[in-house]
Amino acid sequence: MPLLYDLGTRCYHLGIRLAAPFVPKAKQWVNGRKGTWERLASVSKKVTGCLWMHAASVGEFEQGLPVLEAIKKIHPDLPIVVTFFSPSGYEARKDHPIADHVEYLPPDGRANAERLYALIKPRIALFVKYEFWYHHLKTLHHHNVPLFLICGTFRTDQPFFKWYGSTHRALLSTFSHLFVQDEKSRSLLASLGKTNVTVAGDTRFDRVAEIAANDPALPIAKAWKGELPLLVCGSTWPADEELIVAAIGKNKLVVVPHELSEPHLKQIETRFPKPLVRWSELEDSPIQSITDILGKEKSGTLLVDRMGLLARLYAYADIVYIGGGFGDGIHSVLEAVAWGKPVIFGPNHRKFVEAEALVEAGAGFEVSSSTGLRTVLERLNGDPNELQNSSAIAKAYVQNNVGATAKITAFILPLLEAKQFNPS
């Protein structure tokens, strides 16, 4: 089976390289990995004995970040290396101050895994959520590096639980301990005989609760909000935007598209309610200019063409629409509900336990059409009691689920207390 795995990964990497001249993301994946070994060699002495965390992209990094921060407080001199699989993750967090070095994960293969290990010789390794790379994990296990999966989630449709999943099942034995988000995941692992499992929850609850507690002000958003109900649409795709345009009533809008390409931004400018202004146009303008832009209408669209603002923008919403539900899956709802905001999203949310829980509790609303979205907006805007109740449920959901970071670090920190570190 490892031979089939190697063949599959090589075909995958070849496919990306062949697609690179025609597909921008594939090109970014290929070009980003150029110079990986040279960069790693240049920092090798500085990061030897590091804590190595690997994440697929930004979302997984944000799950791992609370753990890194908690460990760094206790061990400020411990070097940290972060690797990403996706270009979007690397580009967004390549300069993050928590890490001594941020890098692309070298393509999975025995030689690459051994070469990476030799350059950084991690003292401990954390893999976040879904990342299972055969040779990298096997190499860490071979060199007796304590290895942890954090914020793991397991489902019956994953290869671990299929007749053909022997290679994936073998990888579970490389982990010193697996921290999973829910009891269902623990039960599935138990069915495979895995008992080194703890239901710790999701560190994202700790992260979003911290952001909300800090309450960072955004004067532009505060001035835009005014008196009318504000609908913040986060990480939207064209399918979401088509729905929103057809359903929007008296709500004032803040739209934060997932893709900030100029053609996409111009498409939004053409279709969404006027007056419309870009966030970047207001950055150097007096806040009073917002009143001038809105005029007597007191409604319109604020198009956010800057990255890194979404989690804080949710603070100013009355209701939040989460994008992605008409594609591969919705984006994070937790950043919004941490502020006590009811969330609306499309039908493709079944893989997200928090979305299912919010729907059941009454703070999440699934829509599949513009008519459905309009109905939910009219209900929440027209009934202050229902809006208030949904908001309270949303905030309580986050507060009742914090604590995963403490559970994980309480297990890991004693391993870092050892005075001797002798990499093999």
Side-chain angles (χ1 to χ4, degrees), residues 20 26 53 100 140 156 159 169 183 230 234 257 279 301 315 368 375 404 409:
M53 186 182 83
D100 293 86
L140 290 169
T156 55
R169 286 191 288 273
E183 179 60 31
L230 179 64
W279 182 278
T301 305
S368 56
T375 298
T409 54

Side-chain angles (χ1 to χ4, degrees), residues 98-297:
I98 195 72
D100 293 86
H101 186 69
V102 178
E103 191 53 76
Y104 283 95
L105 182 73
D108 196 27
R110 184 175 179 180
N112 282 348
E114 287 287 351
R115 188 177 181 183
L116 176 61
Y117 173 80
L119 286 168
I120 67 174
K121 290 187 170 67
R123 186 170 186 167
I124 195 167
L126 310 177
F127 275 51
V128 184
K129 198 173 182 178
Y130 293 135
E131 289 295 272
F132 300 98
W133 296 103
Y134 183 87
H135 293 287
H136 287 294
L137 295 179
K138 282 287 190 179
T139 296
L140 290 169
H141 184 64
H142 173 72
H143 289 286
N144 299 312
V145 177
L147 172 62
F148 299 92
L149 180 72
I150 61 175
C151 297
T153 57
F154 291 86
R155 306 182 309 275
T156 55
D157 62 350
Q158 291 173 312
F160 304 101
F161 311 104
K162 302 296 185 180
W163 64 266
Y164 53 81
S166 60
T167 299
H168 282 77
R169 286 191 288 273
L171 292 182
L172 296 175
S173 298
T174 65
F175 288 95
S176 306
H177 205 84
L178 300 105
F179 295 98
V180 297
Q181 294 186 31
D182 52 29
E183 179 60 31
K184 181 180 178 181
S185 295
R186 189 209 62 77
S187 180
L188 285 171
L189 291 171
S191 72
L192 300 179
K194 302 302 174 185
T195 57
N196 56 333
V197 181
T198 297
V199 179
D202 189 345
T203 56
R204 289 181 301 163
F205 287 97
D206 302 320
R207 184 67 178 160
V208 297
E210 181 184 6
I211 292 173
N214 290 334
D215 195 16
L218 291 173
I220 291 175
K222 183 178 180 180
W224 183 266
K225 178 174 173 54
E227 298 177 358
L228 287 180
L230 179 64
L231 176 67
V232 173
C233 306
S235 288
T236 59
W237 294 85
D240 300 299
E241 292 150 11
E242 182 178 350
L243 201 77
I244 294 164
V245 168
I248 194 63
K250 295 182 179 180
N251 288 82
K252 189 179 293 185
L253 289 172
V254 172
V255 179
V256 188
H258 185 78
E259 294 285 352
L260 296 183
S261 67
E262 188 60 27
H264 188 196
L265 293 172
K266 287 183 177 178
Q267 184 183 55
I268 293 172
E269 286 180 324
T270 300
R271 302 176 64 189
F272 271 73
K274 306 299 187 294
L276 182 147
V277 63
R278 293 193 186 191
W279 182 278
S280 59
E281 296 172 5
L282 298 174
E283 287 177 330
D284 298 321
S285 303
I287 297 301
Q288 178 61 34
S289 64
I290 293 177
T291 304
D292 298 335
I293 291 168
L294 291 174
K296 295 181 180 179
E297 297 296 326

